[in-house]
Amino acid sequence: MSKRMLVLVCSIFLVVPLLFLGCGSGSDGATGATGATGATGATGATGPAGQDLTAGAAPESCAVCHKDAGTVHQASYDALYQDNIVRVTDLAYANDNVNDRVTFKMTKNGANFDCRDADNLNVYFVPYTGTKFQFEPAAARLSIKGTLTYDGAGGCTSTKAQSAFGNFSLRNGFILAYGYDELVGSYPSPSHVKLVKYPYAALLETGAGVDYVSAANVSGCEKCHTVPYLKHGNIYGQVNHDATNDFYTCKACHLDNGDGGHQFWQLLVDDPALAAANEAGTPLTTEQKAKYAYKTRLMNDVHMSHAMEFEYPQSMANCVTCHEGKLGTILADANFVAETCKSCHAVTGPAAGATPSEKDQLPLQKIWADKGVAGFHSITMTCNAGDCHSAGGGLGKTFNQIHTGYDKKIYTSSGTRYSSAFTVTIDNNASFVDNTNKLTFGFHATGTLPGIAVTDIKPTVLVGLYGWDSKDFIVDPHSRIGADRTLEYVVGATHPRFTTDAAAGGSWTVTADLSTWAGKIADGSVKRVEIAVMPKIRLAAIADNNVLALNAPSRTFDLNTKSFNDGFYKPIVKVAAGCNNCHEALGTTFHSGDRGGNIVVCRLCHNTKSGSSHLEMQSRSIDSYAHAIHSFQALDIQNYDFTDPVETMYFELKVNSNFPTFGISNCESCHNKGMFNVPDQSKSLPGVMSASRDTIVGWNRKIDSVASYVVGPGSRACGACHRAEKIKEDDAVGLASFNSHTSKPNGYFYIGGATVIDEVINEIMNYWEDGIVLVGP
C-alpha cells in the first residue's frame, strides 16, 4: 500500500483506536509505528526517526458546520444600529404656564408605534446662549420627560410640571427626543455602549433657534465608529442626516459649563499611581479635584477619552480626522488656551509611552522644559495673551504653527499625503532563469515635494515564496539564515542572496538568488513568489526625522509562466477604506511608514510558520495577529507586574476595550465583502500557535502550560477572536474546550509548533495537490 493511501486509511478509521495505532508515516523524517497485524500477519515497516504526524494529518472540518460563519457574524452586526426603522416626526412643544407638553408621532417600519413600548425614550431641553450650550446660572441637564399617553394612532404626548426655567418656547435652544428600541446588549465600563437595533432622534428648535456649527464632523466619527454615528451606540450624532446639526444631541448632557466627572482620564497620563488608587476607592483631595477639574463640553470629553483612556489608533495631532475642512477654526489663536492643551496633554505626568495607549503627546512641562521656557508657564496659562504666542509678533509660535492639524509622518503641513505625492511601481520586466534560479526585477519611483525627491527613497525589497497554490508563504523573507534576513534586502547593502544591478535617478534593478529553494521550485511546492518594495524616506528636516508614510507595492510573479499574475488571489482586506479609516496610514502607529497600503506586504513577515512573539497562544500570521489585537488581547502579558496597581490598571483597561464600530463581528469594517468566511484549506497553510506565558508576576492564572502547536487555517484565523476572549477572561475550561473542538476529529492540534510545521504543511497540502478526496467518518 502506498504511503499516501496509508494516510487516507488512517484518516478514515481514526475512530478505531487499534487501527489508528497501526498507521504511520515513513517519509519526511516521520516515524512509522508498528503496523497492526493484518490477514497475512505482516508488520508495518518502521520509517526513519522523526515526528509521527498521521494523528493530525486530516484536514479541518470547520467548513462543514461553519461554512458561512463570517456571513452570520456580519448579519448579526448588521441587525444592530438600523437607521430610520423607528422614526419620530411632528415634534411639537406647548406650555400652559403649568405643564410642559411635548407631542410627537412615532412609527416603526412605517407602522404606528406606541412610544410607551420603546425600550428607551428621553426628552430634554438644551438652552443656547448664542455661543454656548449651557444653563445660566449653571445647572445640570434638564429632562422634561413626564407622563406618557398614547392616542392609538402613533401620537404620543409627554406631560410634566413646568420647570423653574419656565416656558421653553421663549428661550433659545432646542428640545431633543431620542432613544432606542430592542436593546440587544451592552458593553461595560469604560465605554458604556449600548448594542441596539433601532435608534431614533428628533430635534425641535425653540425661541430664536440655534445657529451653532460644530468645529468637528460626524463623518469623522463614522470613520471608526458606526454608520450612522451613534454616540454610546444609541444617540444620533446627526439627526436626519443633516450636517447643520452635527453633535446637537450630545449637548443635552455635555453642557459647556457642566462639571466633568472623569478626572480619571487626566490622572491616567498625569499621575498613574493616583489613578490606580482612585480606582481602588481612594477619593481625591480638594486640591486634587481643583487641579483636575474640567468642563463637560465636547472638546474635553472627546479629546481626553481618546487621548488618555481609549486606544486611539493614530496620533492625536492628526486633527484632520475629525475636523476636516475646519482646521482654521480649531487652530485659531483664540483656542490656544490651557483648556485646549490639557484636553490632550498631561501637564506634569510621565513621558510618552507611559499611558495605556502609548500616545505620542508629551507632558506640557516637558515640552516647556525642552524649549527652555518652563518658568513662563502654568496650568492656568492663556497662551495667546500679550506677547507670548500672538500672530502680531509674539515670542513663541502661534497655535497653527505648533499644530498644523496633520500628522507629520503622513502629511505635509499643507495637507498633502506623502503616499499620494510619491508612488513606487514594480516594473513589468521581471525574469526568472530556471537553471540558475535567479529572479531579476526592477522598480521605479515618481513624485516630488519641496525638499524631497525620489532619490531620497532608500528601498528594501522582499521576496516571499508561496507554498503550493495558497496565499501564504512557505518561505518568508523576514526570517533569517545565519545573520542575514532570508529574502529581505536593503538595496545597496551586502547580502548573500541579493545583488543590486542598477540604481540611479529613482529606478532600481535587483536580482534575488532562489537556488536555496531549487528543490521546492522543481517539485512544484513553490510556483509563485511575491515581490515587494518598502520605500523608506527619513530626512532630518522632515517630520521630525520620522519615516514618512508611503505605500509599499507588491506583485505576484509566476515562476512557470515567467510573468506577473496580479489576479492570483483576491484582496481579503481593504486598506484605504478599512484599515486607514482608523489608522490614517497603515504602519505609522505600530511599525514605520514604509509598510503602508498593502496587507500582502504585512503577510510577508506575518506568516503562518511562526507563533506570535507578542501574543500568547496566537500565530504570527496576520489573520491571527490582527484578530487578536482587535479583540484587545494584551500584548506581552509576561511583562506585566500584577503586584503593581498601575500595571494591573493598564491591563484591565486594555482587555476591557472595545472594537470601535461597537461590535467585533463587523467583519466588513476591515474585510472586503465575501472574504471573511472559513478559509479554503487549499489556499491557506496551517499555522503555528505560540505557547502560553506561564511566568507572570503576581497572577496565578488558570490558563497555564499550553504548548506551541500547529492548527489549521480556520482554527488559526477564525479562532483568533474566540481564543482572545477566553484568554482575556482566564477561562481555562473554555479555552481547552475550544481547542478540543478545533482539534481531532474536527481539525488538528499538533504539539511541536515550529519543529513540526513543515511536516504538517506537506501532509495537508499534498491532499489538494494529489487530487485526493477523503471519504468516511
Side-chain angles (χ1 to χ4, degrees):
M1 181 181 291
S2 71
K3 170 253 184 183
R4 174 55 50 192
M5 188 58 70
L6 182 62
V7 171
L8 284 177
V9 172
C10 296
S11 301
I12 294 170
F13 293 103
L14 286 177
V15 293
V16 185
L18 290 178
L19 289 177
F20 172 72
L21 289 173
C23 297
S25 173
S27 66
D28 297 320
T31 300
T34 301
T37 301
T40 64
T43 300
T46 301
Q51 187 89 25
D52 183 2
L53 297 180
T54 52
E60 288 182 321
S61 62
C62 305
V64 175
C65 297
H66 305 291
K67 178 181 179 181
D68 298 319
T71 302
V72 172
H73 285 331
Q74 187 64 47
S76 70
Y77 180 83
D78 291 343
L80 300 173
Y81 319 125
Q82 295 185 50
D83 191 24
N84 276 335
I85 300 299
V86 174
R87 302 192 64 187
V88 173
T89 58
D90 302 329
L91 183 63
Y93 169 79
N95 180 285
D96 59 5
N97 295 320
V98 177
N99 293 311
D100 291 315
R101 185 171 287 106
V102 178
T103 59
F104 54 90
K105 184 174 182 179
M106 185 175 284
T107 57
K108 183 175 182 179
N109 252 341
N112 292 332
F113 183 59
D114 187 341
C115 67
R116 299 172 300 179
D117 293 335
D119 285 357
N120 178 266
L121 171 64
N122 305 277
V123 184
Y124 282 93
F125 172 72
V126 185
Y128 181 63
T129 67
T131 57
K132 298 181 182 299
F133 292 91
Q134 60 189 41
F135 289 98
E136 295 178 344
R141 58 187 178 180
L142 181 61
S143 172
I144 59 173
K145 177 185 174 182
T147 302
L148 298 176
T149 58
Y150 179 61
D151 67 3
C156 194
T157 301
S158 168
T159 304
K160 186 177 183 179
Q162 175 181 281
S163 72
F165 293 95
N167 187 343
F168 295 128
S169 64
L170 305 177
R171 297 176 65 97
N172 298 341
F174 64 84
I175 290 170
L176 167 66
Y178 75 93
Y180 57 83
D181 192 40
E182 297 195 32
L183 175 67
V184 174
S186 62
Y187 284 132
S189 180
S191 59
H192 309 294
V193 170
K194 297 287 192 301
L195 307 176
V196 306
K197 285 189 176 181
Y198 310 121
Y200 61 85
L203 288 170
L204 173 67
E205 295 191 18
T206 60
V210 176
D211 60 1
Y212 171 79
V213 177
S214 175
N217 306 306
V218 163
S219 58
C221 303
E222 289 176 343
K223 292 178 181 179
C224 275
H225 295 296
T226 59
V227 179
Y229 171 63
L230 297 162
K231 182 173 172 60
H232 300 304
N234 67 294
I235 305 172
Y236 276 93
Q238 192 181 84
V239 178
N240 296 328
H241 306 288
D242 184 351
T244 65
N245 62 41
D246 278 8
F247 304 109
Y248 277 28
T249 55
C250 305
K251 306 296 183 179
C253 298
H254 293 274
L255 296 168
D256 289 316
N257 62 348
D259 291 328
H262 294 282
Q263 288 83 3
F264 177 69
W265 290 336
Q266 295 178 73
L267 294 178
L268 276 171
V269 294
D270 213 46
D271 193 339
L274 180 57
N278 185 244
E279 280 288 277
T282 301
L284 298 181
T285 65
T286 301
E287 182 181 3
Q288 289 165 342
K289 289 179 181 178
K291 179 179 180 180
Y292 296 107
Y294 73 97
K295 298 303 180 183
T296 56
R297 65 196 196 96
L298 279 179
M299 181 196 73
N300 284 326
D301 282 77
V302 174
H303 284 190
M304 287 180 185
S305 60
H306 286 72
M308 301 170 183
E309 180 183 29
F310 301 143
E311 292 216 38
Y312 190 57
Q314 58 177 280
S315 170
M316 286 295 292
N318 202 46
C319 312
V320 69
T321 297
C322 298
H323 301 280
E324 188 172 7
K326 301 175 180 178
L327 292 178
T329 299
I330 67 164
L331 296 174
D333 281 346
N335 292 324
F336 195 11
V337 295
E339 183 182 27
T340 304
C341 301
K342 289 171 62 179
S343 68
C344 289
H345 290 272
V347 178
T348 60
T355 70
S357 49
E358 298 185 350
K359 294 296 182 284
D360 57 3
Q361 57 268 23
L362 295 174
L364 294 173
Q365 286 197 354
K366 176 173 175 52
I367 294 172
W368 300 332
D370 289 346
K371 297 296 183 182
V373 294
F376 300 157
H377 294 75
S378 72
I379 61 172
T380 58
M381 76 265 184
T382 300
C383 305
N384 64 324
D387 295 327
C388 294
H389 294 277
S390 65
L395 298 175
K397 293 180 178 180
T398 59
F399 197 16
N400 62 7
Q401 291 174 323
I402 294 173
H403 283 296
T404 64
Y406 300 101
D407 186 335
K408 295 178 182 179
K409 299 186 295 294
I410 302 172
Y411 294 95
T412 67
S413 60
S414 60
T416 299
R417 281 183 177 268
Y418 295 115
S419 59
S420 64
F422 293 94
T423 301
V424 174
T425 302
I426 297 172
D427 300 327
N428 287 322
N429 59 351
S431 64
F432 179 71
V433 180
D434 290 319
N435 61 349
T436 63
N437 291 289
K438 296 289 183 67
L439 173 68
T440 300
F441 55 93
F443 56 97
H444 69 276
T446 57
T448 184
L449 283 171
I452 313 174
V454 293
T455 51
D456 292 315
I457 295 175
K458 309 300 181 186
T460 295
V461 298
L462 305 96
V463 177
L465 278 57
Y466 284 105
W468 287 269
D469 288 321
S470 78
K471 64 176 176 59
D472 296 316
F473 300 103
I474 195 71
V475 177
D476 73 279
H478 193 64
S479 59
R480 290 184 183 273
I481 298 177
D484 301 293
R485 296 291 182 188
T486 301
L487 284 168
E488 179 179 327
Y489 172 56
V490 178
V491 176
T494 300
H495 194 288
R497 287 169 293 281
F498 282 96
T499 58
T500 298
D501 304 329
S507 294
W508 300 264
T509 302
V510 170
T511 294
D513 183 353
L514 306 184
S515 58
T516 302
W517 304 277
K520 291 183 178 295
I521 296 170
D523 68 18
S525 55
V526 171
K527 304 173 184 177
R528 303 170 185 85
V529 301
E530 191 74 11
I531 300 168
V533 180
M534 295 194 305
K536 179 178 290 186
I537 297 179
R538 186 202 296 270
L539 299 172
I542 305 292
D544 299 328
N545 206 35
N546 284 298
V547 175
L548 303 185
L550 300 179
N551 288 332
S554 74
R555 297 183 70 183
T556 304
F557 186 81
D558 191 308
L559 300 179
N560 294 320
T561 65
K562 310 296 190 295
S563 62
F564 284 104
N565 183 358
D566 295 321
F568 166 58
Y569 208 84
K570 291 176 61 176
I572 299 171
V573 173
K574 52 190 180 184
V575 176
C579 308
N580 285 355
N581 275 348
C582 287
H583 293 279
E584 191 66 19
L586 194 61
T588 56
T589 50
F590 43 82
H591 276 306
S592 56
D594 55 341
R595 289 167 164 84
N598 190 343
I599 295 298
V600 177
V601 174
C602 300
R603 289 211 316 266
L604 284 164
C605 295
H606 285 276
N607 65 92
T608 73
K609 295 183 65 180
S610 301
S612 169
S613 59
H614 296 291
L615 291 158
E616 58 177 350
M617 294 170 276
Q618 300 287 0
S619 174
R620 184 181 175 86
S621 178
I622 193 65
D623 43 17
S624 175
Y625 215 84
H627 288 174
I629 285 175
H630 289 90
S631 296
F632 294 94
Q633 181 179 337
L635 295 163
D636 297 308
I637 191 173
Q638 72 277 6
N639 293 337
Y640 283 89
D641 180 356
F642 288 95
T643 66
D644 184 337
V646 172
E647 294 197 25
T648 302
M649 172 186 67
Y650 285 162
F651 175 81
E652 292 296 331
L653 284 169
K654 171 73 178 183
V655 299
N656 287 320
S657 296
N658 302 300
F659 193 61
T661 64
F662 305 152
I664 191 65
S665 61
N666 184 18
C667 307
E668 288 180 3
S669 61
C670 300
H671 288 271
N672 287 307
K673 284 184 178 295
M675 300 302 291
F676 44 79
N677 281 313
V678 176
D680 180 342
Q681 292 179 77
S682 68
K683 303 298 183 185
S684 186
L685 298 181
V688 175
M689 311 299 286
S690 59
S692 60
R693 309 294 196 261
D694 296 334
T695 302
I696 301 175
V697 177
W699 185 11
N700 184 20
R701 286 202 308 171
K702 297 182 179 67
I703 294 174
D704 194 12
S705 301
V706 178
S708 176
Y709 53 89
V710 175
V711 299
S715 177
R716 184 192 71 241
C718 305
C721 293
H722 296 280
R723 281 192 187 87
E725 292 303 320
K726 303 302 181 187
I727 293 167
K728 291 195 305 181
E729 297 164 4
D730 192 24
D731 182 0
V733 173
L735 181 63
S737 297
F738 178 80
N739 285 337
S740 177
H741 179 69
T742 58
S743 62
K744 302 187 296 285
N746 302 317
Y748 45 93
F749 179 105
Y750 216 73
I751 294 175
T755 65
V756 299
I757 180 63
D758 287 328
E759 293 288 332
V760 176
I761 288 175
N762 287 337
E763 290 289 342
I764 293 299
M765 299 311 292
N766 275 327
Y767 282 128
W768 325 123
E769 290 297 301
D770 293 350
I772 293 176
V773 178
L774 290 174
V775 294

